[in-house]
């Protein structure tokens, strides 16, 4: 299959929100507290798109994944209980979700690889991400791709595992 990764456009919000609702339900089924408090919601996704931070993974004409990417823009990352690998420019990854109809194909890994290519295309060599302590699927993806656990950051009153990866052009090829 051929996949594309590009910025989301406003008319795609309904498809993106449907994928995120599926992911929210999966987190609940897994017994996770992540995304069980009304976040994310359509307004968050609209804000991502408005700020050119919303990105979609596409197979053919179908949106099958979503993530938000920010450059050097995560205030919570300034206060880490631990230590980041770098203090250089970085891409922040938030809200990774894959359609329930496309699970089990390694697409979260593929999506993160596209994010790494996005960072390199912007001459940024660090990617930072965080996830709930009970989001074992996301931790597995990050660890498999060589992300280093750096400590804890806090969002909306709860701690999250923080990861960073320093990437090189050779690694993506």
């Amino acid at each position: 299959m051929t996949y594309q990764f590009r910025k989301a456009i406003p008319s795609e919000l309904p498809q993106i929100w449907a994928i995120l609702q599926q992911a929210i339900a999966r987190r609940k089924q897994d017994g996770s507290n992540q995304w069980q408090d009304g976040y994310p919601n359509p307004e968050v996704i609209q804000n991502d798109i408005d700020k050119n931070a919303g990105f979609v993974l596409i197979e053919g004409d179908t949106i099958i994944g979503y993530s938000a990417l920010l450059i050097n823009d995560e205030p919570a990352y300034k206060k880490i209980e631990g230590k980041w690998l770098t203090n250089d420019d970085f891409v922040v990854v938030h809200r990774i979700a894959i359609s329930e109809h496309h699970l089990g194909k390694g697409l979260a890994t593929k999506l993160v690889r596209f994010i790494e290519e996005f960072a390199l295309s912007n001459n940024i060599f660090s990617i930072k991400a965080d996830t709930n302590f009970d989001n074992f699927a996301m931790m597995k993806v990050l660890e498999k791709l060589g992300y280093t656990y750096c400590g804890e950051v806090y969002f909306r009153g709860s701690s999250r595992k923080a990861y960073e990866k320093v990437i090189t052009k050779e690694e993506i090829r």
Side-chain angles (χ1 to χ4, degrees):
M1 273 297 156
T2 302
Y3 299 99
Q4 292 181 324
F5 181 72
R6 62 162 174 76
K7 286 185 182 173
I9 57 174
S11 64
E12 295 169 333
L13 192 138
Q15 296 112 298
I16 293 165
W17 178 234
I19 290 169
L20 277 159
Q21 285 178 300
Q22 295 164 6
I24 290 166
R26 281 195 305 276
R27 300 300 312 128
K28 185 174 186 172
Q29 287 171 346
D30 291 344
S32 174
N33 290 324
Q34 186 174 4
W35 292 358
Q36 302 305 306
D37 61 354
Y39 171 93
N41 55 54
E43 292 76 26
V44 169
I45 307 312
Q46 184 67 58
N47 188 46
D48 289 345
I49 293 169
D50 291 346
K51 293 190 326 187
N52 291 314
F55 285 78
V56 290
L57 179 65
I58 297 174
E59 179 184 72
D61 293 331
T62 305
I63 296 172
I64 60 171
Y66 179 77
S67 66
L69 305 181
L70 306 169
I71 297 176
N72 298 327
D73 185 22
E74 184 46 75
Y77 285 7
K78 290 183 174 115
K79 295 179 183 176
I80 184 171
E81 290 180 3
K83 185 170 177 21
W84 293 113
L85 301 176
T86 69
N87 292 314
D88 299 327
D89 290 340
F90 59 94
V91 170
V92 178
V93 180
H94 284 312
R95 296 181 280 290
I96 289 181
I98 301 295
S99 165
E100 67 184 7
H101 305 295
H102 295 272
L103 296 175
K105 299 179 183 178
L107 293 175
T109 299
K110 184 169 281 300
L111 181 60
V112 173
R113 286 286 192 205
F114 275 119
I115 292 165
E116 292 173 357
E117 290 175 13
F118 168 85
L120 286 175
S121 73
N122 285 282
N123 291 312
I124 297 173
F125 303 95
S126 167
I127 299 184
K128 295 179 180 179
D130 65 87
T131 193
N132 244 38
F133 280 80
D134 59 7
N135 189 340
F136 302 110
M138 193 68 228
M139 286 185 267
K140 183 178 174 184
V141 168
L142 293 172
E143 290 164 5
K144 178 172 89 172
L145 291 174
Y147 285 71
T148 300
Y149 172 70
C150 294
E152 294 179 28
V153 293
Y154 290 83
F155 282 94
R156 296 183 342 271
S158 64
S159 68
R160 319 247 306 160
K161 289 184 89 164
Y163 292 83
E164 182 178 9
K165 181 176 181 181
V166 179
I167 53 175
T168 63
K169 290 178 181 168
E170 293 75 33
E171 180 182 356
I172 301 299
R173 292 195 174 103

